Amino acid sequence: MTIPQNEDIRDLLDQLDTCIADDLESQWLDFKPWEGAKESMRVAVEYAVCFANAGGGVVVFGVADQVRGREAAIGGIGNCDIDVWKRGIFDATRPNLSVDIEEIAVPEGSGKLLVVRIPKGPNPPYGTAKGYFTQRVGKNCMPMDSQGFARSQVATGAIDWSGQAAEGIALDDLDLVEIARGRNIVKRLRPSSELSQLNDAEFLQALGALRKGEVTRAGLLLFGREEVLQEECPQHQVHYVYEGDNNKILRNDSYQSGLLQILDRIEQAFTGPSNPEQEVTTGLFKLRIPAFSIEVVREAVLNAVTHRNYADPGEVLLRHKRQEIAITNPGGFLGNITPRNILRQEPMARNRALAEALQKLGLVERAGIGRQRIFMPPLSYGKRIPVYETDGTRVTLRVYDGAFDEAMALLVAKWRGDGRDVDLDTLLILAYLRENAFIDTGAAADLLQLSREQARSTLDQHALPKSGFLERRGRTKAATYHLNKAVAGDMLGKAAYTRTKGIDSIRYRELVRQFIMDHGSITPKDCRELLGFGESRTAKSAISRYLKEWSGDDGFLRWEGNTSSRRYFLRKCEVNDSDSA
């Protein structure tokens, strides 16, 4: 069962003659009698917290939960200002909760019930302003126990698990070899940094691995001796599985040392026969294309160990197949981040101290650069777009090998060789147009994870005459964007541009057909406006030619009226075909 909608609630109310409302309650639904605006508001705040800390739910006010008989049980509610209630619940919860509230009509009592719909909270734990924390367990709101409360805070990043002191861990429990490894990483990646010149204690202090004389959990994860990590933090391990053909397991390794050594060992696993390269040559230019870019693998593993939930006993799993690697880590996305907006959301670190230490070492970047490191190399080679997936408790990143597009790889390499900036948006659009004849603002908004207005602006920028690689066709918001002649020839072949020029008439047919299905008929003026031709003499002439062609003996249109008032309709067979479809 899921959170009930209003129709579900009405169906349940019909059962009140044979049972009491308490029998109809569930993990997602609670009935409450109306006890005045002030008291009912207090109850609503408590239940908002309770449901938000679980899977969300609905509270219906105006129904006594222990009274049998629909007419007796439904008393309804008194006067209620919905906006006041929304603000009141928002102000009385920490973090603030936004809920949906509406009234539904009933024939009994005052004639209306109040439905408070609470979504699952993205950043639990939630509490009241007075410090009351509960969560829905079955049909009851139960106080959150201290362990559950702590786990929830770690899972959502409310508490930085990695920044806390590692209890019982002393400096002697850290591995001097791993500290030296960290110092060498700084020398290699940040040669101008003074970190590498510090003594061990100062180095650890500067990284946040040591705070007020105590080793932090971030310090343990990075530099702890392997036997100490296995004893104190076994969930930190990274599991690497390499599958050959027919699902044959060729390697099955569990890395249990410090994170810096784990990273080195995984990079070694992707060096050699398990990660072959192909060489593409055109003239004097050579390009080596690996099955999986080491940069992508490194960034994906760093993301997994940095953003995982260390309160979860699960491990980071890297499953390596010939045409795909899948990196899964415990812990869902933080805040409002989803696979559909991850390219544009500001990064959120569940383990801030660990993320900051890795940034100071030079291994990770702030401001979402890591996502570009994951997406750009495979797209530059004309491979499939990496995909994020989540079930709410785990995040999986899939990076693909498979076939690459040699023409696109050479085009991108040539652009970069010429000093041209090839950003992520450019690569995403090119990848889309390898498989599709055109892109419009709707498709671009989904692809680039932007609003329609932002997507249109981006497409227009790439359609500028001298610097762009796109052509815009159409003058309205329904315009489509195609590869220009030069780029289409380089990436898709000489005939590609000519083929796409014929697509307009096909797409125009579909738009006109859909317009008539929606509105019954179309005029030449409607048609010019729909297809973005404008009102010039040339535009009028072009639309007249299209309409004449489409209303000919083999066309899909018929017309009525004289020249000045002519309207076009779908032929009867077209209407019947649409109805049967």
Side-chain angles (χ1 to χ4, degrees), residues 427-501:
L427 293 172
L428 288 167
I429 294 169
L430 286 174
Y432 185 91
L433 290 175
R434 281 194 302 117
E435 307 293 336
N436 300 275
F438 63 86
I439 188 170
D440 58 22
T441 54
D446 290 340
L447 177 70
L448 305 179
Q449 299 182 0
L450 295 171
S451 69
R452 282 178 172 266
E453 290 73 19
Q454 291 170 323
R456 186 178 300 111
S457 176
T458 299
L459 292 172
D460 284 339
Q461 186 68 29
H462 288 304
L464 293 175
K466 293 184 178 180
S467 59
F469 61 93
L470 298 178
E471 280 185 3
R472 175 173 174 161
R473 299 181 189 170
R475 301 179 184 178
T476 69
K477 293 180 179 180
T480 57
Y481 298 78
H482 308 245
L483 292 175
N484 66 28
K485 186 174 182 178
V487 175
D490 287 342
M491 202 166 80
L492 302 175
K494 293 181 179 179
Y497 181 79
T498 304
R499 283 198 305 270
T500 63
K501 292 292 284 186

Side-chain angles (χ1 to χ4, degrees), residues 36-90:
K38 183 176 181 180
E39 177 61 19
S40 294
M41 167 75 82
R42 183 190 65 77
V43 173
V45 169
E46 292 180 358
Y47 274 81
V49 166
C50 172
F51 279 121
N53 282 329
V58 176
V59 187
V60 180
F61 286 93
V63 181
D65 56 358
Q66 297 293 329
V67 178
R68 187 180 300 274
R70 175 172 174 135
E71 187 172 353
I74 300 177
I77 63 171
N79 293 329
C80 175
D81 187 321
I82 289 177
D83 288 335
V84 170
W85 268 59
K86 286 183 177 180
R87 288 199 306 272
I89 293 174
F90 183 87

Side-chain angles (χ1 to χ4, degrees), residues 337-354:
I337 296 177
T338 71
R340 295 180 62 84
N341 66 16
I342 190 170
L343 295 179
R344 303 295 171 180
Q345 291 291 308
E346 287 297 319
M348 298 179 67
R350 181 176 276 113
N351 300 288
R352 291 183 294 280
L354 179 59

